[in-house]
Amino acid sequence: MSSLHGTFTWFELVCAEPEAARTFHTQTLGWTATRIDVGGVGYPMLEASGAPQAGIVSPRDEGPGHWSSYLWVDDVDARAAGVEAAGGRVLLGPVDISGVGRFALVADPQGARFNLFRGLDEQGGSTDFHWNELWARDAEQVLPFYQRAFGFEVQPMQMPSGAYYVLKNARGGQGGVMTSPEATLPPQWLPYVRLGDCDAAVDRARQRGATMVSEPTTIEGIGRLAIVSDPFGALLGFIEPPAES
């Protein structure tokens, strides 16, 4: 089994206004924009420190913008079948991405979407994404799906907001699961970007039309966190880890 199995290695911003989204995120995060060729098609990307961090793609269906996570798995086809066996759904694929790897778009039993992915090599990845968090309709009820479909271990812990569960693979904690604090939002995976100054990034996001979902808060041992909704409806977490991290 690949040592990356069960690791979130890539993220995409799904947005109907990709050019405006690119401008918002480069100005807010201090990242740069570029474009590469993937199977003969231009693929807009965001970079930090000269390394690719995320793609920007147009939506396949109607709905607000959102971030789409890619979970590296040892076998996309087998894990896609396992998703269905565990009560989830396969929405697209599995299919090959020319020169990149193989993927499938899936949803867990409560409707949170994410991608299964295995690349042609095990290099690269979204290094400036610090964490990924599932806002579930009911955290306790969805945990068995992730254990069965991907072999995650679950470590319960208590957060200021309530019960929290860490999904662990051979490399350690890879994502958190909590019952969503926003009952009106659909279940979704929420990525957190690592930043040097959370409050400054929040100010830049506000100036460019973002709204706050969670104001900057310091959690001991974790860092300073905030959650914004960008002008296109996509939620993104900001995290400024403790200085020693």
Side-chain angles (χ1 to χ4, degrees):
M1 179 184 295
S2 167
S3 64
L4 282 176
H5 175 75
T7 303
F8 290 101
T9 57
W10 188 245
F11 297 87
E12 282 180 339
L13 175 60
V14 182
C15 179
E17 301 179 60
E19 293 301 319
R22 181 181 68 176
T23 299
F24 171 86
H25 287 86
T26 54
Q27 294 180 348
T28 298
L29 303 176
W31 290 3
T32 58
T34 187
R35 184 182 294 267
I36 64 170
D37 181 86
V38 177
V41 178
Y43 182 63
M45 289 200 310
L46 297 169
E47 293 187 339
S49 304
Q53 301 299 330
I56 304 176
V57 298
S58 298
R60 295 186 177 92
D61 48 27
E62 294 184 1
H66 61 276
W67 283 91
S68 185
S69 306
Y70 281 72
L71 181 69
W72 186 289
V73 294
D74 50 0
D75 185 319
V76 172
D77 294 71
R79 295 295 174 176
V83 162
E84 293 189 322
R89 293 181 297 147
V90 176
L91 305 175
L92 177 66
V95 296
D96 290 324
I97 308 172
S98 178
V100 177
R102 190 163 177 81
F103 94 106
L105 175 65
V106 302
D108 72 21
Q110 296 181 8
R113 297 184 177 192
F114 59 103
N115 299 279
L116 310 182
F117 176 72
R118 182 176 176 90
L120 299 180
D121 57 52
E122 298 193 5
Q123 298 180 2
S126 304
T127 56
D128 275 38
F129 281 82
H130 185 80
W131 191 242
N132 206 15
E133 188 172 82
L134 174 60
W135 285 17
R137 184 173 296 110
D138 185 304
E140 288 79 8
Q141 288 187 3
V142 82
L143 287 171
F145 165 80
Y146 288 93
Q147 292 173 296
R148 180 180 175 187
F150 307 109
F152 281 118
E153 295 182 17
V154 175
Q155 177 184 342
M157 60 184 297
Q158 192 66 26
M159 295 286 282
S161 57
Y164 197 86
Y165 303 90
V166 176
L167 300 179
K168 301 178 69 175
N169 67 2
R171 294 183 168 208
Q174 299 301 322
V177 181
M178 62 185 291
T179 297
S180 177
E182 301 286 341
T184 59
L185 293 175
Q188 60 188 284
W189 280 95
L190 170 69
Y192 284 77
V193 176
R194 182 191 300 107
L195 297 164
D197 189 328
C198 176
D199 293 76
V202 165
D203 288 343
R204 292 192 296 270
R206 278 189 169 122
Q207 292 168 10
R208 289 162 177 81
T211 57
M212 297 305 303
V213 177
S214 177
E215 295 286 344
T217 304
T218 299
I219 300 178
E220 185 176 357
I222 294 177
R224 192 153 176 80
L225 295 82
I227 301 170
V228 304
S229 176
D230 71 23
F232 321 101
L235 270 59
L236 181 63
F238 295 168
I239 182 166
E240 178 187 341
E244 63 272 17
S245 296

